[in-house]
Amino acid sequence: MKSLLSLFIATIFLALNTHAQDSPELPKVPKIPGAGSKEDAAILEINLDNWTEAPDGIKIKTFRSRGIAIKYFSEKNLGKSSFHFAYGLGLNSNNVHHDGFLAYDSSRVAKILPLNPAVDYKINKISLTYINIPLELRYRTKPLHKSNRIKVSGGFMGGLLINSHVKFKDDDGTFKAKKIEGILPYQYGVTARIGYGKYNVSGYYGLSNVFEDGKGPELTPYSIGISIIPY
């Protein structure tokens, strides 16, 4: 995750630096009328990832299925109200730990089958990483105690799959297979967040499945977590 984020930041920096060298004089960007403040511009989410219905005989290790997301936003005030429209860019890694194993039939359709209960393992998960564009409608109250506010937001998020792998670890070693066959190459769903000050409860519910239609089990992803807003 750290290497992926470093590559993401380095790519943006290189692109901006190259553009600056090629352009001796850049035009001034006009200020957008009604542009909002930088409040809630960066958000870190620590989530518990899950599927609404696991395949038959499969149990999800809920409290081990931890994911992380980083989002950066710009926002625009909607008139003189307490509502704001925000748009941004994000990166999220979803990890679902379970007690099954991924297999394919003769038609290359994925199945998650129960693992032999006698098998002792430390890690057994499916990991998916996406780059996303989140859109939000936000509401914030006037400043309350120590300038903190009550915050409520709802929105939509869509993104592209940039990494997928399964990981299994036991006493004999670690097995990792990348580029899971049949995974849908994009995701989209609805988001929500509510809280006070820097700490919020957040959620995501997928409107798309994990696998492509006919390529694997019907798994609807969702996440519930804590959002930390540093400023």
Side-chain angles (χ1 to χ4, degrees):
M1 179 64 187
K2 290 183 180 178
S3 61
L4 184 62
L5 180 59
S6 299
L7 178 61
F8 175 64
I9 294 173
T11 302
I12 294 177
F13 177 80
L14 180 61
L16 292 175
N17 189 49
T18 302
H19 184 271
Q21 293 176 354
D22 293 341
S23 304
E25 185 175 353
L26 296 176
K28 294 183 178 180
V29 179
K31 184 177 180 180
I32 300 175
S37 68
K38 293 184 178 180
E39 191 169 359
D40 303 337
I43 298 177
L44 170 66
E45 295 179 357
I46 302 171
N47 300 312
L48 293 178
D49 300 321
N50 211 324
W51 302 319
T52 54
E53 292 186 8
D56 292 340
I58 302 300
K59 293 182 180 179
I60 306 300
K61 310 294 185 179
T62 303
F63 293 102
R64 295 198 63 188
S65 299
R66 295 182 293 271
I68 189 170
I70 300 173
K71 300 176 182 178
Y72 296 94
F73 286 95
S74 294
E75 71 171 34
K76 183 175 181 180
N77 297 340
L78 298 181
K80 296 182 179 180
S81 70
S82 298
F83 289 91
H84 313 265
F85 174 72
Y87 52 93
L89 187 66
L91 187 72
N92 72 287
S93 176
N94 300 332
N95 298 281
V96 176
H97 289 251
H98 56 90
D99 63 352
F101 68 96
L102 186 65
Y104 292 85
D105 63 17
S106 59
S107 300
R108 302 305 298 169
V109 176
K111 299 180 182 295
I112 301 178
L113 304 175
L115 195 63
N116 187 333
V119 176
D120 187 23
Y121 59 88
K122 299 176 181 178
I123 297 175
N124 184 22
K125 67 175 183 176
I126 292 178
S127 294
L128 305 174
T129 303
Y130 300 87
I131 185 167
N132 298 298
I133 295 179
L135 306 173
E136 293 184 357
L137 178 63
R138 297 173 167 179
Y139 172 81
R140 291 194 291 263
T141 65
K142 294 181 179 180
L144 301 173
H145 181 62
K146 294 184 178 180
S147 299
N148 290 319
R149 307 169 187 259
I150 296 173
K151 306 173 182 181
V152 181
S153 71
F156 177 87
M157 183 174 71
L160 297 176
L161 180 72
I162 59 174
N163 180 270
S164 66
H165 68 266
V166 296
K167 184 177 181 180
F168 181 88
K169 182 179 181 180
D170 60 10
D171 292 335
D172 295 328
T174 301
F175 169 79
K176 188 174 182 180
K178 297 182 178 180
K179 295 183 179 180
I180 303 173
E181 186 176 346
I183 294 288
L184 193 69
Y186 56 85
Q187 70 165 1
Y188 58 91
V190 292
T191 62
R193 188 174 60 254
I194 183 170
Y196 178 73
K198 295 182 178 181
Y199 302 100
N200 293 243
V201 177
S202 57
Y204 168 82
Y205 184 85
L207 300 178
S208 57
N209 290 322
V210 173
F211 285 89
E212 297 182 67
D213 289 343
K215 296 292 186 178
E218 293 187 7
L219 305 175
T220 301
Y222 72 93
S223 301
I224 299 174
I226 300 295
S227 295
I228 302 171
I229 305 173
Y231 58 86

